């Protein structure tokens, strides 16, 4: 088993042994295509990625949320007192506009819904609604538990909280209306972090690993892993917090982007053996 999959299996095994979610407190702190493999622990396919393009990224950004809309990236950064929502040029990496998360809260995931951008924070239970494209604060809301990642389908918002379960929120009331728990062949997958909805699937960074889980949104079953090990090795950062985190999908151009905390690059990638 590869080192990355050992790291991932350790995350899953901890949940099984102790029967509780992995603690979230530590959250603050392209090679050639080799073909798909499989996680020996589950038999679930593991797909390497192929780099299409490298784009500049702010190496000081503690990336917690990323999305692509109308030709630009929207990015949420974390760390208490240093959290921002940014609009960023993909070509230059230049910040085109930004707003600070109120009250020194630790910024986490973001998602767009019509003319609004919704953001959550780590442990404060405070979420915010911003205007698009201007990023003016319009309102705030409250939720129970932690906030990690956000995405959406056509009907609801989807929120991760560091556990193995994803919550569905009504996009108008922002109340929880359902949930799905994620597993790999029956083993809970904890530390679901940044999210993106792609081709009818939920894609989730698994915190502290280079793996992205492709998740069936109805059953919660992991369909395959996308392995970002080659990208993590290329950026070669010594900071243990500099993990992959950030998935953005351009549905118009069918382009997929990934990055990480403190990474100097946003990668446009493809997965040669991926079929949807």
């Amino acid at each position: 088993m590869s080192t990355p999959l050992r790291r991932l299996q350790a995350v899953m095994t901890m949940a099984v042994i102790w029967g509780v979610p992995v603690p979230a407190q530590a959250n603050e702190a392209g090679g050639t295509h080799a073909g798909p493999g499989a996680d020996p622990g589950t038999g679930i396919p593991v797909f390497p990625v192929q780099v299409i393009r490298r784009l500049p990224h702010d190496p000081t950004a503690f990336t917690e949320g990323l999305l692509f809309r109308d030709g630009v990236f929207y990015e949420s950064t974390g760390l208490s007192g240093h959290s921002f929502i940014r609009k960023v040029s993909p070509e230059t990496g230049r910040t085109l506009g930004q707003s600070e998360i109120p009250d020194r809260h630790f910024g986490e995931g973001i998602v767009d819904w019509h003319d609004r951008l919704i953001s959550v924070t780590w442990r404060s239970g405070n979420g915010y609604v911003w205007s698009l494209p201007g990023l003016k604060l319009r309102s705030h809301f409250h939720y129970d538990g932690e906030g990690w990642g956000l995405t959406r389908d056509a009907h609801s918002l989807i929120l991760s909280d560091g556990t193995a379960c994803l919550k569905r929120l009504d996009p108008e009331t922002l109340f929880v209306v359902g949930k799905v728990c994620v597993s790999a062949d029956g083993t809970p997958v904890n530390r679901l972090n940044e999210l993106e909805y792609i081709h009818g699937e939920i894609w989730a960074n698994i915190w502290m690993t280079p793996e992205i889980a492709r998740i069936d949104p109805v059953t919660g079953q992991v369909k395959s892993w996308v392995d970002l090990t080659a990208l993590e090795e290329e950026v070669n950062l010594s900071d243990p917090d500099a993990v992959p985190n950030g998935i953005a999908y351009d549905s118009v151009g069918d382009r997929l982007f990934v990055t990480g905390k403190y990474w100097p690059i946003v990668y446009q990638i493809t997965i040669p053996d991926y079929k949807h």
Side-chain angles (χ1 to χ4, degrees), residues 28 78-83 104-107 122:
E28 187 163 359
L79 300 177
S80 298
H82 300 280
S83 294
R104 299 181 60 82
H105 290 317
F106 189 109
W122 181 27

Side-chain angles (χ1 to χ4, degrees), residues 98-144:
Q98 71 175 21
S99 294
E100 187 171 7
I101 302 293
D103 301 322
R104 299 181 60 82
H105 290 317
F106 189 109
E108 289 280 354
I110 55 174
V111 66
D112 63 322
W113 185 264
H114 300 305
D115 63 345
R116 294 170 289 158
L117 184 142
I118 297 99
S119 72
V120 292
T121 56
W122 181 27
R123 286 182 156 179
S124 70
N126 288 287
Y128 300 97
V129 180
W130 311 82
S131 67
L132 283 174
L135 298 180
K136 302 298 184 184
L137 183 61
R138 291 173 48 169
S139 62
H140 63 89
F141 63 99
H142 297 279
Y143 53 90
D144 294 329

Side-chain angles (χ1 to χ4, degrees), residues 51-109:
V51 175
I52 300 296
R53 195 176 180 199
R54 293 167 176 82
L55 301 169
H57 182 241
D58 179 1
T60 70
F62 197 82
T63 305
E64 294 289 3
L66 188 71
L67 65 87
F68 185 92
R69 172 174 166 140
D70 298 331
V72 299
F73 291 126
Y74 288 88
E75 181 175 23
S76 171
T77 64
L79 300 177
S80 298
H82 300 280
S83 294
F84 296 89
I85 308 290
R86 299 172 170 175
K87 182 165 63 173
V88 179
S89 165
E91 301 299 325
T92 67
R94 185 169 64 90
T95 298
L96 305 175
Q98 71 175 21
S99 294
E100 187 171 7
I101 302 293
D103 301 322
R104 299 181 60 82
H105 290 317
F106 189 109
E108 289 280 354

Side-chain angles (χ1 to χ4, degrees), residues 12-272:
M12 296 165 64
T13 301
M14 186 181 295
V16 173
I17 292 174
W18 295 104
V20 295
V22 176
Q25 64 185 33
N27 195 36
E28 187 163 359
T32 58
H33 170 54
D39 177 355
T42 64
I44 294 173
V46 179
F47 293 100
V49 302
Q50 190 172 47
V51 175
I52 300 296
R53 195 176 180 199
R54 293 167 176 82
L55 301 169
H57 182 241
D58 179 1
T60 70
F62 197 82
T63 305
E64 294 289 3
L66 188 71
L67 65 87
F68 185 92
R69 172 174 166 140
D70 298 331
V72 299
F73 291 126
Y74 288 88
E75 181 175 23
S76 171
T77 64
L79 300 177
S80 298
H82 300 280
S83 294
F84 296 89
I85 308 290
R86 299 172 170 175
K87 182 165 63 173
V88 179
S89 165
E91 301 299 325
T92 67
R94 185 169 64 90
T95 298
L96 305 175
Q98 71 175 21
S99 294
E100 187 171 7
I101 302 293
D103 301 322
R104 299 181 60 82
H105 290 317
F106 189 109
E108 289 280 354
I110 55 174
V111 66
D112 63 322
W113 185 264
H114 300 305
D115 63 345
R116 294 170 289 158
L117 184 142
I118 297 99
S119 72
V120 292
T121 56
W122 181 27
R123 286 182 156 179
S124 70
N126 288 287
Y128 300 97
V129 180
W130 311 82
S131 67
L132 283 174
L135 298 180
K136 302 298 184 184
L137 183 61
R138 291 173 48 169
S139 62
H140 63 89
F141 63 99
H142 297 279
Y143 53 90
D144 294 329
E146 297 185 2
W148 284 40
L150 272 176
T151 190
R152 64 172 175 85
D153 59 18
H155 307 288
S156 62
L157 310 185
I158 302 167
L159 171 69
S160 66
D161 60 8
T163 70
C165 294
L166 300 170
K167 299 172 183 175
R168 287 191 174 271
L169 279 61
D170 182 290
E172 300 300 332
T173 66
L174 300 172
F175 293 157
V176 175
V177 294
K179 73 174 183 178
V180 60
C181 292
V182 177
S183 63
D185 281 358
T187 301
V189 179
N190 280 270
R191 299 186 184 182
L192 301 171
N193 201 359
E194 219 274 316
L195 305 174
E196 186 63 278
Y197 199 82
I198 303 171
H199 298 306
E201 302 168 346
I202 302 167
W203 290 40
N205 285 117
I206 311 300
W207 184 54
M208 298 306 292
T209 84
E211 308 304 319
I212 294 173
R214 288 178 51 223
I215 302 163
D216 184 305
V218 176
T219 67
Q221 174 62 32
V222 174
K223 300 170 66 175
S224 73
W225 306 106
V226 176
D227 185 11
L228 304 182
T229 300
L231 310 188
E232 189 177 48
E233 291 175 348
E234 180 178 307
V235 297
N236 192 31
L237 298 175
S238 59
D239 190 327
D241 285 330
V243 294
N245 204 47
I247 311 166
Y249 179 61
D250 170 14
S251 59
V252 176
D254 192 27
R255 295 184 296 168
L256 176 61
F257 304 93
V258 296
T259 192
K261 300 177 182 182
Y262 300 138
W263 284 22
I265 300 168
V266 173
Y267 293 92
Q268 182 186 341
I269 61 170
T270 187
I271 305 164

